[in-house]
Amino acid sequence: MRLTVLAAAAALMITGTPAVQASGDVAVPRISWASCGPENPGFECAAVKVPLDYDDPRGATTTVALARKPATDKARRIGSLFLNPGGPGGSGVDFALGAGTTLSANLQGRFDIVGFDPRGIGRSDPLHCFASEADLEKFFEGVPGFPYQAAQERPFYDRYRSLGPECRDDQRIARHMSTADVARDLDLLRRAVGDRKLNYLGFSYGSFLGATYANLFPNNIRALVIDGVLNPELWSSGRQIESDRIATKEEFREFLRTCDEAACAFGPKSEQRWNALLKSVRAKPIQLGDEVYTYDAVIGAAAGAMYSPSDWPDTAALFDQLSDAAGSLSVAAEADYPNGFDSYNGNVCADIEFPRAFESYQATSRYAARGSEFGPYWWWGNAACANWPVNEDRFTGPWRTRTNAPVLVVGNYFDGVTDFRGAQAVNRQIAGSRLLAYAGWGHTAYGISQCATDHTNAYLLDGKLPAVGTVCPANPNPFLPSVAKAEPLFKPARR
């Protein structure tokens, strides 16, 4: 899976040696905030040293980069609100710089809005598996986005399996990128900004970080929101494919249904057209102007559109054009650098013990394909972990805990990336948590559903939970002209 990391720049300032001893023999770093530069007015940036290995808190360190939008209502300031945009591999610094002003206004200026790049990601001692962007692009040459023909499977597996040694060798951060270590960093950052309890808003993979924090530090929470929720029991055990094999299809059926309902470009009878399109492009790539689409590219476009219904009209128009086109060439996928792809695998392979044998990947791919055409798309990228040992400091559960303050769990009925069942599972796992449902589509609800946004803001500001069983109504059909161009306030980083 390839990630797109926002390209905002920030000036970072490394602080001095850690001071002020903390519990557990971990020193709390002092943060020296400085302007992020004229391109980011009103934001402050910094970087702090944290233990590379919390089993050796006085030993080697690694750097964590931060950015914040200071509270504007100083008199009623609550504290810092830490953000995670997902991924893993998404930059919290970029997320804060891009969304911090709007988020601060939503929360009445009463929080410092703080984003941080988790260890190994972005500006935080980044893991690099390649010497250059050209080497990264070369890695993807000759293999599809995922194998969809039997002959592609072994070359794909061998290519992705080769990542392990490339990423691990001589890079100490690669051995310390577990989500549990990120949660430990987060608790240290909480202390560093002077907050007695944590305020946190995490999206997508950020829900796994939030659940991990809640299990490791259940008594350190003031307000914790997770939106677009992974079931940690599935994710940490390598069984996320049980969700992925059906979740995207469930939302995609809604894409097709609402397309027909609104007479979109791909309708009428969009399901029949979709099936015919897949049959055609599997047999032969389709050329559209100067672009050539292979089967994996079409599946990737459909899965990518499930993140945000605002993309649905353009995606339907693309499928309409592809259905009437034909071609025979192939194109190489473009990759983003630095290090979203690298850090995604660095974190996932640290957390999850995936199979080693090629035959296991083949068997799971067949299982995934029985769920839907999207199953193999989500599965095969895990082959990057086939020769990559897990981090001994990872946390794999048990995932049942009771926190000192209730956790707000937000899930969409039709989320093709982290399905509603994940939110229901975490609601059961964290005693005293509250489930807020959004009856619409897309990945995450904050900034998309006004109802979900209002409930989240009320909880963060005042600790006010929505009533048990609250379901926010779906937004209007995404294909209607009046809503087709509406953009969400926040777009989480892609898994």
Side-chain angles (χ1 to χ4, degrees):
M1 304 169 196
R2 300 163 198 179
L3 305 175
T4 300
V5 181
L6 299 177
L12 299 180
M13 184 174 182
I14 303 293
T15 64
T17 56
V20 188
Q21 206 63 23
S23 62
D25 204 30
V26 179
V28 177
R30 292 193 180 102
I31 305 179
S32 296
W33 296 101
S35 170
C36 293
E39 66 275 19
N40 294 294
F43 285 86
E44 298 173 338
C45 290
V48 299
K49 298 290 189 180
V50 300
L52 179 67
D53 185 349
Y54 280 88
D55 292 329
D56 183 18
R58 295 180 180 273
T61 62
T62 187
T63 301
V64 174
L66 305 97
R68 75 172 178 179
K69 171 74 172 176
T72 55
D73 189 343
K74 306 295 185 183
R76 297 192 303 152
R77 179 182 175 275
I78 294 171
S80 296
L81 176 64
F82 287 90
L83 309 177
N84 183 277
S91 168
V93 168
D94 289 342
F95 192 54
L97 294 175
T101 299
T102 299
L103 187 55
S104 178
N106 282 2
L107 296 170
Q108 303 171 16
R110 297 182 63 191
F111 287 98
D112 293 344
I113 306 300
V114 181
F116 70 101
D117 286 355
R119 53 173 57 208
I121 293 170
R123 302 167 183 83
S124 293
D125 194 6
L127 173 68
H128 288 288
C129 303
F130 307 94
S132 66
E133 183 174 0
D135 285 349
L136 171 65
E137 293 174 347
K138 188 179 296 184
F139 175 85
F140 295 117
E141 289 179 359
V143 295
F146 68 93
Y148 57 93
Q149 296 173 348
Q152 298 170 332
E153 293 178 343
R154 186 79 205 202
F156 185 97
Y157 167 83
D158 288 341
R159 181 73 56 84
Y160 270 64
R161 184 180 183 274
S162 72
L163 267 179
E166 290 288 337
C167 296
R168 295 194 322 268
D169 289 355
D170 301 322
Q171 295 197 70
R172 61 180 190 168
I173 191 62
R175 297 185 290 276
H176 299 280
M177 285 184 65
S178 73
T179 298
D181 280 330
V182 178
R184 295 178 184 111
D185 292 343
L186 179 57
D187 196 60
L188 197 56
L189 295 175
R190 171 191 65 80
R191 293 177 174 144
V193 299
D195 284 0
R196 190 173 65 88
K197 303 290 183 181
L198 178 73
N199 300 290
Y200 176 80
L201 177 58
F203 300 93
S204 194
Y205 159 80
S207 69
F208 182 68
L209 173 57
T212 301
Y213 186 94
N215 278 270
L216 293 179
F217 304 101
N219 296 318
N220 293 356
I221 295 170
R222 177 193 170 270
L224 190 150
V225 183
I226 50 178
D227 184 356
V229 182
L230 289 163
N231 180 347
E233 291 181 344
L234 294 184
W235 182 261
S236 64
S237 65
R239 292 162 44 225
Q240 180 62 27
I241 192 62
E242 293 179 19
S243 166
D244 291 340
R245 68 194 286 266
I246 55 176
T248 308
K249 182 68 171 182
E250 288 174 339
E251 187 183 358
F252 192 71
R253 286 196 187 101
E254 287 292 293
F255 169 92
L256 298 174
R257 182 187 66 79
T258 55
C259 171
D260 287 346
E261 183 179 80
C264 86
F266 196 46
K269 298 182 178 180
S270 58
E271 184 168 4
Q272 290 93 319
R273 294 192 74 194
W274 170 250
N275 291 334
L277 172 60
L278 290 188
K279 183 178 180 180
S280 175
V281 74
R282 182 184 282 274
K284 182 180 181 182
I286 297 174
Q287 185 158 358
L288 186 64
D290 294 332
E291 297 289 332
V292 179
Y293 289 84
T294 50
Y295 176 87
D296 54 305
V298 173
I299 290 290
M306 297 303 97
Y307 281 82
S308 175
S310 63
D311 296 333
W312 288 9
D314 288 343
T315 303
L318 171 64
F319 292 162
D320 177 52
Q321 293 171 333
L322 287 172
S323 294
D324 296 327
S328 60
L329 302 178
S330 62
V331 292
E334 294 184 2
D336 216 356
Y337 210 67
N339 83 325
F341 176 75
D342 315 49
S343 59
Y344 175 92
N345 291 300
N347 180 272
V348 168
C349 300
D351 277 346
I352 304 168
E353 188 164 9
F354 282 105
R356 303 300 188 200
F358 169 63
E359 292 76 14
S360 296
Y361 285 87
Q362 280 186 309
T364 302
S365 179
R366 307 295 184 263
Y367 164 78
R370 289 195 297 271
S372 76
E373 63 267 38
F374 298 101
Y377 165 86
W378 290 111
W379 169 247
W380 273 102
N382 297 317
C385 302
N387 189 19
W388 197 320
V390 295
N391 188 332
E392 62 182 14
D393 293 325
R394 68 189 178 127
F395 181 75
T396 59
W399 291 102
R400 297 186 180 272
T401 188
R402 179 177 291 275
T403 52
N404 66 291
V407 170
L408 181 60
V409 181
V410 186
N412 297 4
Y413 277 0
F414 300 100
D415 184 334
V417 184
T418 56
D419 67 6
F420 187 63
R421 288 176 286 271
Q424 292 173 310
V426 173
N427 180 226
R428 293 190 299 268
Q429 293 159 7
I430 301 179
S433 63
R434 184 64 49 85
L435 177 62
L436 172 64
Y438 167 51
W441 317 274
H443 184 40
T444 74
Y446 190 86
I448 297 173
S449 161
Q450 189 61 51
C451 165
T453 302
D454 290 345
H455 279 300
T456 299
N457 292 341
Y459 166 76
L460 289 170
L461 287 168
D462 303 315
K464 182 180 178 182
L465 291 167
V468 173
T470 297
V471 178
C472 291
N475 288 343
N477 186 316
F479 289 102
L480 295 176
S482 60
V483 298
K485 294 183 180 181
E487 287 289 334
L489 291 176
F490 309 104
K491 285 192 174 183
R494 293 190 173 189
R495 284 179 44 204

